[in-house]
Amino acid sequence: RLGRAENRMRELPYALYDSQEALVTDIVNTGKGGIKKGLAILGGIQINTSPDTLDYFHPLKFDYYDSDGNLVENMLPYLR
């Protein structure tokens, strides 16, 4: 994926996010029996900047799951 990317430095955080997303999905699916009332997951890319500039968080996922681990709503549009 990175080898085919036009801009590898831009593609790298998205590739890392995708692999972490797979891990989080596996964790939710494995542990969904322990969800009491629901679960909200916020994921994205943290962009660190110079010390005199505020850092930035680029949200890519904001999902709410019910107590059975089923996706209830994609709440990402509410953040934009």
Side-chain angles (χ1 to χ4, degrees):
R1 173 177 178 171
L2 291 177
R4 296 184 313 268
E6 185 176 318
N7 183 334
R8 286 190 275 175
M9 292 306 290
R10 181 178 173 153
E11 185 65 24
L12 179 60
Y14 289 96
L16 291 170
Y17 170 80
D18 288 345
S19 74
Q20 291 174 353
E21 170 67 17
L23 292 173
V24 169
T25 299
D26 186 49
I27 290 168
V28 169
N29 288 334
T30 301
K32 63 185 173 187
I35 299 173
K36 302 280 188 220
K37 294 187 179 187
L39 175 69
I41 297 180
L42 174 64
I45 297 172
Q46 177 70 34
I47 302 168
N48 298 315
T49 59
S50 63
D52 58 339
T53 307
L54 294 175
D55 292 341
Y56 179 75
F57 180 72
H58 176 60
L60 296 173
K61 176 179 184 164
F62 188 26
D63 289 343
Y64 178 72
Y65 296 87
D66 65 13
S67 59
D68 295 322
N70 300 311
L71 178 64
V72 174
E73 184 175 8
N74 170 8
M75 299 186 302
L76 190 60
Y78 298 118
L79 295 179
R80 297 188 177 170

